[in-house]
Amino acid sequence: MTVGLLLLAIALLLVLRVPVAFAFLGPGLAYLMFTGQSLGLAMRLITNSTASFPLLAVPLFVLLGATANHAGIADRLFDFALALFGKVRGGLGYVSVGVSLGFSWMSGSAVADAAALSKVEIPAMLRNGYSRRFGIGVVGASALIAPVMPPSIPAVIYAGLAAVSTGALFAASVIPALLMAVGLCIVVFIQVRRQPDIVHTGFSWSRLAETGKRVVGPALAPVIILGGILGGYFTPTEAAAVGAFYILVLGFFYRTLHVRDLPKIFAETVMTTAAIMLIVSSASLLGYVLARERIPQQLSELVLGFTDNGTVFLLLVAVLMLILGTVVDPTAVLVLVVPILMPIGLRLDVDPIVLGVLMILSLMIGLLTPPVGTVLYVLSSAVKVPVGEVFKGSLPFIVPLAAICLGIIFFPGMVTWLPNQLGL
């Protein structure tokens, strides 16, 4: 079986909407059988790909996000943000961005963020005169902050694959994530000018004080998690465990979590982690096949023959990630392409941290673009509208995200400044 037939088989399976893990696994196993290799090799490749201490942070961060979701942390953040910005024209749009930004410190998944917040924010916008398309768009785009802002599950995976410091990658992601929030707020400002029927809520100091008290506990979570990592007190894996335990205790203290909720939280964590690890392992098998056929070397020669400029290389990477992100799960893309692109980037003096942040952000935009965009389908299911309608609502909000990708390419200092200041 040639590589061409292998890739054709994978493309056909993806078109038929076969899950990504099995679309990679089936042709990969067929290649091993066709070339006379033992299936025991496949088992070793699959198990070794997930036998990584850095990857242990993934289920713990998933547990952290699931616990925060069930503990009602998003509702507390929403109430506080609404009390703060409710009187501002288009306040619910800014609230959506602000809540996603706050919740992202505890959730490293855009899908989990969109699923949790869409149930609260979109109905509130519809009740207050916002258009359905605007509400869907701002909630979907805001959810993309979660996998960029630390703690980020894609960042943990990239750090393990690229052998770079997870703490440095976390620190490097903070400024781009904050710029994402600013860019989305600018779009909200422009969009709400076209919606004269928006209803404003009143402002009350007493309500602000009351809701502010309710977010003091959740606000300490990022201090514990990121402060522990960046201060050198915890490894990312230890910080994830401490953060999950803290949110669990907080939920019991607030009485929003009960013992009967734990099986559901653990089951959700196991299912999500299993899906991620299955993708990682199947993509690793496919990566072995590509390496055996010398595809990385051929691509390296092709790229280096085209350009020896690091900026041009980053532009090519951004375009490639935007394309792949529309059809393949981001985790699978990272596992496949990081071992290929890292050596090329190093030869062109591209900082691996800059490359990582750019790849993650570019891939996350794919979650809002058809045909595979997972966030599109989550919002479509939540609001009961066609996927095409969700994409139309999201389209204006993709513009500032693409602009930030360009900013990272031409001004990499915006990524490296904070890690350098922290000595990471």
Side-chain angles (χ1 to χ4, degrees), residues 148 169 172-173 176 352-362 408 415:
V148 178
L169 191 58
S173 303
I353 298 295
V354 175
L355 179 62
V357 175
L358 177 64
M359 288 180 66
I360 291 169
L361 177 53
S362 302
I408 293 172
V415 170

Side-chain angles (χ1 to χ4, degrees), residues 306-380:
F306 176 76
T307 181
D308 60 356
N309 186 288
T311 301
V312 175
F313 169 70
L314 289 175
L315 282 169
L316 293 175
V317 168
V319 172
L320 178 64
M321 294 302 100
L322 288 170
I323 294 172
L324 291 178
T326 64
V327 292
V328 184
D329 182 89
T331 301
V333 176
L334 288 174
V335 176
L336 281 176
V337 305
V338 169
I340 297 174
L341 297 180
M342 268 291 296
I344 304 174
L346 292 175
R347 289 183 64 178
L348 297 176
D349 294 324
V350 172
D351 192 318
I353 298 295
V354 175
L355 179 62
V357 175
L358 177 64
M359 288 180 66
I360 291 169
L361 177 53
S362 302
L363 281 171
M364 292 311 112
I365 295 175
L367 295 176
L368 272 182
T369 52
V372 177
T374 314
V375 171
L376 292 179
Y377 288 94
V378 169
L379 294 176
S380 173

Side-chain angles (χ1 to χ4, degrees), residues 139-336:
V139 171
S142 300
L144 301 190
I145 299 174
V148 178
M149 178 69 81
S152 161
I153 293 174
V156 172
I157 293 172
Y158 176 89
L161 293 168
V164 299
S165 165
T166 305
L169 191 58
F170 277 4
S173 303
V174 171
I175 292 178
L178 293 175
L179 290 176
M180 289 173 69
V182 173
L184 294 177
C185 286
I186 292 173
V187 178
V188 169
F189 177 81
I190 296 171
Q191 292 271 47
V192 296
R193 302 295 151 186
R194 306 170 185 173
Q195 300 187 48
D197 299 329
I198 291 175
V199 177
H200 303 281
T201 58
F203 178 83
S204 166
W205 284 107
S206 60
R207 185 180 175 211
L208 181 63
E210 179 186 350
T211 56
K213 292 177 184 177
R214 299 178 71 238
V215 297
V216 171
L220 291 176
V223 176
I224 295 171
I225 298 168
L226 291 184
I229 295 173
L230 301 181
Y233 299 105
F234 306 131
T235 66
T237 302
E238 292 166 346
V242 171
F245 179 74
Y246 173 75
I247 293 296
L248 188 65
V249 171
L250 208 60
F252 282 120
F253 177 77
Y254 289 148
R255 297 184 180 179
T256 52
L257 275 182
H258 304 88
V259 174
R260 64 176 178 271
D261 297 320
L262 296 182
K264 187 174 182 180
I265 292 173
F266 294 148
E268 183 180 321
T269 301
V270 169
M271 292 295 289
T272 303
T273 303
I276 293 172
M277 292 306 173
L278 186 57
I279 291 172
V280 168
S281 58
S282 60
S284 296
L285 174 61
L286 182 58
Y288 165 79
V289 173
L290 297 178
R292 190 173 186 271
E293 294 291 329
R294 300 191 76 255
I295 299 301
Q297 291 86 343
Q298 295 175 30
L299 288 176
S300 177
E301 293 169 4
L302 179 64
V303 172
L304 294 174
F306 176 76
T307 181
D308 60 356
N309 186 288
T311 301
V312 175
F313 169 70
L314 289 175
L315 282 169
L316 293 175
V317 168
V319 172
L320 178 64
M321 294 302 100
L322 288 170
I323 294 172
L324 291 178
T326 64
V327 292
V328 184
D329 182 89
T331 301
V333 176
L334 288 174
V335 176
L336 281 176

Side-chain angles (χ1 to χ4, degrees), residues 32 37-46 285 288:
L32 293 183
Q37 299 183 71
S38 168
L39 291 182
L41 173 62
M43 293 301 298
R44 289 196 298 274
L45 291 169
I46 288 172
L285 174 61
Y288 165 79

